[in-house]
């Protein structure tokens, strides 16, 4: 979104205020051209023989977003069988879907085998159970390289205390189990977490994974997960994917030469592909000055965008209706009956009741984490591409909230 002659414009010259008028607020808008740009950046950054980008769809599972990424050539990374089903609905070939769950029982893996997706095993217990049932179904093993990475401990998943993956220190046990059950292992995986700032740290973890990989003789794929960082503020650091790609490709190609085979390199970006494509538009319902604070109270809350409350994530907030007013210091809060703060002490152009505010970086982990708390409906979603807007999810209604409820009066007397 850019300021053009004192007014904000989305890609393709789309007026965000017109979208808010047409679809109402709160409203999620995703810019497909930005997704395309990010996809092309990452898929162009690696100079290797075989590369697959598997979009980590827990970031945003809107079917039209999934279908758009499929058209661009992306595969999919799914953490639940329901995400796999969404991927199939969006037209993905099961062969380019990886199923990377955590803390699930064997039944979910059995369903994944039926669908025919790539399976990533996250514990030795599951490896044993799975292998005894499906020794010929090739699997991937998720290794935990124990690096502490990422901005927020909640989304750092590769460290020593993490529940994810199998510790690389347990490699001898993994090899013993694989040998005993004759499990076919064609794929090895790691995912250290979100928002890794440091290329060196990533390379350290990658070295650990490559060392593990040497012990498996029938690999076709090595999957290095994700961790790419995006900008939340205009001057933020973002992963320099082009530079990283150059360093990484060289190391990967050397490894393939040593291994004696051109392995397929896989990455699973979520945030990198979709975070910056998203805008969340809300309306200032009330501007309220208390003794210490000026609050902008908006028509949404953590039921729609929980990242600020959940892990202190920063989402830039701007006044779209009147971007040119004097900057004032506001605290932006939602309408949920708990502490429900989107941003504290933010400089925002002077806001009056009825103005539309925009929260940035709303493409990843925003709608997918939304709920119906306070019995409020979830927002509509709109996808824009080349100057056109497409409604890709209707706003919910009270019917959606009532659906599946079974109203029983337990005090009613049985008929005599
Ligand atoms: C969440 C997740 C990702 C994506 O992480 P981002 O930080 O959004 O890029 C990739 N792989 C796995 C296994 C994940 O769980």
């Amino acid at each position: 979104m850019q300021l053009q002659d004192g007014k904000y414009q989305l890609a393709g010259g789309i007026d965000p205020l017109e979208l808010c008028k047409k679809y109402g607020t709160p409203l999620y808008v995703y810019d497909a051209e930005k997704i395309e740009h990010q996809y092309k950046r990452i898929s162009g950054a690696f100079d290797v023989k075989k590369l697959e980008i598997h979009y980590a769809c827990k970031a945003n599972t809107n079917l039209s977003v999934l279908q758009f990424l499929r058209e661009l050539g992306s595969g999919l990374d799914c953490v639940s069988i329901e995400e796999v089903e969404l991927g199939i609905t969006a037209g993905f070939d099961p062969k380019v879907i990886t199923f990377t769950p955590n803390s699930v029982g064997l039944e979910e893996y059995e369903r994944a085998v039926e669908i025919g997706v790539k399976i990533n095993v996250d514990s030795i217990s599951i490896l044993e159970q799975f292998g005894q049932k499906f020794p010929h179904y090739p699997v991937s093993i998720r290794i935990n390289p124990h690096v502490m990475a990422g901005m927020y401990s909640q989304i750092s998943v590769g460290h020593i205390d993490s529940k994810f993956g199998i510790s690389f220190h347990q490699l001898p046990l993994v090899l013993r189990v694989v040998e005993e059950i004759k499990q076919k292992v064609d794929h090895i995986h790691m995912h250290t977490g979100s928002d890794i700032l440091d290329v060196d740290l990533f390379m350290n973890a990658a070295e650990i994974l490559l060392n593990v990989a040497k012990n498996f003789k029938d690999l076709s794929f090595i999957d290095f997960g994700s961790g790419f960082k995006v900008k939340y503020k205009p001057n933020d650091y973002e992963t320099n994917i082009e530079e990283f790609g150059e360093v990484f490709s060289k190391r990967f190609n050397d490894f393939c030469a040593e291994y004696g085979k051109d392995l397929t390199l896989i990455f699973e970006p979520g945030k990198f592909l979709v975070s910056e494509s998203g805008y969340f538009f809300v309306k200032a319902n009330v501007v309220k000055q208390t003794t210490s604070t000026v609050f902008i109270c908006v028509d949404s809350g953590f039921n729609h965008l929980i990242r600020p409350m959940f892990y202190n994530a920063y989402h830039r907030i701007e006044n779209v209706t009147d971007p040119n007013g004097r900057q004032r210091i506001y605290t932006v809060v939602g309408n949920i009956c708990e502490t429900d703060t989107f941003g504290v002490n933010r400089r925002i152009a002077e806001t009056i009741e009825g103005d539309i505010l925009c929260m940035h970086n709303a493409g990843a982990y925003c709608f997918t984490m939304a709920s119906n708390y306070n019995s409020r409906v979830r927002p509509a979603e709109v996808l824009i591409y080349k100057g056109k807007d497409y409604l890709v999810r209707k706003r919910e209604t009270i019917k959606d909230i009532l659906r599946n409820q079974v109203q029983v009066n337990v005090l009613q007397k049985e008929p005599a």
Side-chain angles (χ1 to χ4, degrees), residues 58 102 142 147-159 161-164 191-196 271 306-314 365 369:
K58 71 177 185 291
N102 174 262
R142 179 169 184 173
V147 296
M148 184 68 189
M151 305 240 294
Y152 320 118
S153 64
Q154 292 96 324
I155 51 179
S156 179
V157 295
H159 58 89
D161 285 335
S162 162
K163 67 170 181 161
F164 294 96
H191 171 60
T192 45
S194 254
D195 277 337
I196 299 171
K271 196 177 275 181
I306 201 175
R307 300 182 75 253
M309 305 76 175
F310 192 32
Y311 31 58
N312 259 325
Y314 185 94
Y365 307 107
M369 287 193 185

Side-chain angles (χ1 to χ4, degrees), residues 70-308:
R70 181 186 57 103
E71 296 276 345
L72 294 177
S74 184
L76 216 57
D77 182 73
C78 299
V79 294
S80 70
I81 204 70
E82 289 86 348
E83 283 187 356
V84 171
E85 303 273 6
L86 287 174
I88 298 291
T89 307
F92 283 89
D93 181 340
K95 288 196 206 67
V96 295
I97 298 180
T98 5
F99 179 52
T100 310
N102 174 262
S103 188
V104 305
L106 194 63
E107 319 77 60
E108 221 170 295
Y109 288 95
E110 286 170 355
R111 180 77 189 110
V113 168
E114 271 169 38
I115 300 174
V117 295
K118 288 197 169 82
I119 290 178
N120 212 330
V121 170
D122 174 80
S123 71
I124 288 174
S125 168
I126 288 292
L127 179 62
E128 284 174 353
Q129 295 174 59
F130 185 90
Q132 291 180 52
K133 211 154 175 184
F134 309 104
H136 304 300
Y137 197 94
V139 294
S140 164
I141 294 181
R142 179 169 184 173
I143 298 294
N144 187 331
H146 303 316
V147 296
M148 184 68 189
M151 305 240 294
Y152 320 118
S153 64
Q154 292 96 324
I155 51 179
S156 179
V157 295
H159 58 89
I160 191 107
D161 285 335
S162 162
K163 67 170 181 161
F164 294 96
I166 302 173
S167 164
F168 74 95
H169 296 300
Q170 286 185 295
L171 179 64
L173 179 54
V174 172
L175 291 173
R176 192 169 301 145
V177 171
V178 166
E179 171 66 25
E180 180 54 35
I181 58 186
K182 306 264 178 293
Q183 175 69 55
K184 192 158 188 255
V185 177
D186 70 343
H187 191 148
I188 200 116
H189 172 274
M190 73 171 197
H191 171 60
T192 45
S194 254
D195 277 337
I196 299 171
L197 282 157
D198 194 318
V199 170
D200 290 340
L201 204 85
F202 195 96
M203 293 306 287
N204 285 347
E207 248 358 283
I208 292 170
L209 191 68
L210 291 175
N211 263 319
V212 169
K214 281 182 198 153
N215 295 278
F216 295 90
K217 297 300 165 212
D218 302 311
L219 294 183
S220 299
F221 308 89
I222 304 188
D223 184 337
F224 291 88
S226 179
F228 306 111
K229 195 183 169 332
V230 299
K231 285 186 185 189
Y232 286 89
K233 302 177 188 171
N235 298 323
D236 257 1
Y237 173 91
E238 66 168 345
T239 303
N240 184 335
I241 196 79
E242 292 75 16
E243 201 177 299
F244 172 72
E246 220 178 293
V247 175
F248 193 89
S249 301
K250 186 170 176 330
R251 181 66 191 99
F252 188 76
N253 290 332
D254 287 349
F255 180 83
C256 290
E258 270 171 57
Y259 191 80
K261 184 175 175 186
D262 283 327
L263 301 169
T264 302
L265 172 61
I266 303 182
F267 283 104
E268 307 164 344
K271 196 177 275 181
F272 186 83
L273 293 176
V274 294
S275 173
E276 292 159 291
S277 78
Y279 303 92
F280 186 45
F281 295 101
V282 296
K283 192 168 80 195
N285 275 338
V286 176
V287 178
K288 179 197 268 190
Q289 169 134 28
T290 65
T291 321
S292 59
T293 309
V294 187
F295 289 105
I296 303 176
C297 311
V298 303
D299 64 348
S300 179
F302 75 72
N303 53 329
H304 297 156
L305 197 162
I306 201 175
R307 300 182 75 253

Side-chain angles (χ1 to χ4, degrees), residues 32-49:
E33 283 171 75
K34 180 69 184 178
I35 298 175
E36 184 171 23
H37 175 75
Q38 291 296 92
Y39 182 81
K40 288 187 173 157
R41 271 184 75 194
I42 195 166
S43 55
F46 298 93
D47 184 14
V48 297
K49 287 265 163 53

